[in-house]
Amino acid sequence: MFKRHGLGILLAACIILAGFIFNPFSTAAEEFHWGFKKATDGVPPNAGAALDSMLDKHGAIYKGKPDEKIAYLTFDNGYENGYTESILDTLKKEDVPATFFLTGHYLKSATPIVKRMIKDGHGIGNHTYDHPNLTTLSEQGMENDWRKFDKLLYELTGVKRTVYTRPPAGVFNDNVLAKGNELGYRHIFWSVAFIDWHRDKPRGRDFAYNELMTQLHPGAVILMHTVSPDNAQALPDFIRDAKKAGYSFHSLDDLVLEYENIHSILR
């Protein structure tokens, strides 16, 4: 259907190399909360020169090329609320790849769904085991949390490890990015998001659909939470209408290859 998550050694090598570049910041311990003004009129958002520089130094990505109508679907799963299988059904019907950033709780509590994600060809991202504020952990604490997730993923599914990670609540700093690189992880942020994580506060299918279509831009890395019925209901029409507008949906592997300019080498 589409290629599976994981270019393994090649992508991990690119990540590790990114961690050995000179650090121009004196704010390694400072805490950053990912966010920016929402995209409108197809114009990608901008995190600002300082954050762009920090992320680029560590190979962290939040958007793709601004001149190609490509979008990348990602979902954050902390717990199951009964809508993920509907989302998976839509992705399968529309032949669209996605990456699901999971926590340790989700791995344990929704193992059959995780196995379906993998069987359907989707990527699994490391959203940490315990969903902590990574900036408050020691380097060993960060390593323990990421590796604990990977160990459980391997035990439950046979997937050896994750390559992509996303900091809980988008909280990070230079130390978090650098330690992740050292361990072979690439940090994936996002350029399209909205408040969709309150399980008891649905706002309707139209709310989610309008947020997605209004913020859509070339190179969009879209973040959604699977606990929302709004997202499950809006996703089919969003995908179909985005395709009608000329967009195609690619995997995070494709995004990383583009970022590293590896596509041109492989041709």
Side-chain angles (χ1 to χ4, degrees), residues 4 11 31 35-36 38 52 57 74 89 106 123 136 171 188 199 209 224 234 236 253 256 258:
R4 286 179 174 272
L11 295 181
E31 182 178 292
F36 40 74
K38 292 180 180 180
D52 278 346
K57 174 171 66 74
T74 71
D89 289 343
Y106 196 90
T136 67
V171 180
I188 304 294
R199 65 183 298 171
Y209 174 85
M224 286 185 277
D253 288 346
V256 171
E258 172 192 279

Side-chain angles (χ1 to χ4, degrees), residues 25-218:
F25 292 87
S26 60
T27 55
E30 189 174 349
E31 182 178 292
F32 297 94
H33 293 252
W34 185 247
F36 40 74
K37 185 178 179 180
K38 292 180 180 180
T40 56
D41 300 321
V43 179
N46 193 326
L51 283 181
D52 278 346
S53 179
M54 178 186 287
L55 266 61
D56 195 51
K57 174 171 66 74
H58 294 291
I61 307 173
Y62 70 98
K63 59 184 177 181
K65 290 183 178 180
D67 56 350
E68 294 184 3
K69 283 191 171 183
I70 298 173
Y72 308 87
L73 286 180
T74 71
F75 297 87
D76 284 3
N77 300 58
Y79 59 92
E80 180 53 37
N81 197 31
Y83 302 108
T84 307
E85 293 217 73
S86 172
I87 288 170
L88 288 169
D89 289 343
T90 296
L91 296 174
K92 186 173 184 178
K93 181 178 180 180
E94 297 298 330
D95 195 18
V96 166
T99 299
F100 292 85
F101 286 87
L102 312 179
T103 62
H105 172 77
Y106 196 90
L107 285 178
K108 292 184 292 184
S109 63
T111 305
I113 299 178
V114 176
K115 290 181 177 179
R116 181 186 168 182
M117 292 171 184
I118 296 167
K119 182 180 179 181
D120 284 359
H122 300 297
I124 304 298
N126 191 327
H127 201 34
T128 72
Y129 188 88
D130 284 320
H131 206 262
N133 178 340
L134 290 171
T135 68
T136 67
L137 302 183
S138 66
E139 289 191 6
Q140 188 60 56
M142 286 186 260
E143 179 173 352
N144 290 344
D145 199 280
W146 281 319
R147 291 200 185 281
K148 187 176 181 181
F149 177 91
D150 280 346
K151 182 176 184 292
L152 181 60
L153 178 67
Y154 177 68
E155 292 172 352
L156 294 176
T157 70
V159 173
K160 290 186 177 180
R161 63 157 294 167
T162 54
V163 174
Y164 306 125
T165 187
R166 173 172 284 162
V171 180
F172 69 102
N173 60 18
D174 196 79
N175 284 339
V176 171
L177 300 181
K179 187 60 181 179
N181 283 173
E182 180 186 319
L183 298 172
Y185 296 106
R186 182 179 293 270
H187 301 268
I188 304 294
F189 290 84
W190 59 89
S191 63
V192 173
F194 51 97
I195 297 175
D196 65 344
W197 54 84
H198 299 302
R199 65 183 298 171
D200 58 342
K201 296 179 181 179
R203 301 177 69 175
R205 172 263 180 203
D206 289 349
F207 166 76
Y209 174 85
N210 290 333
E211 285 284 351
L212 290 166
M213 291 301 294
T214 299
Q215 294 186 55
L216 183 61
H217 64 84

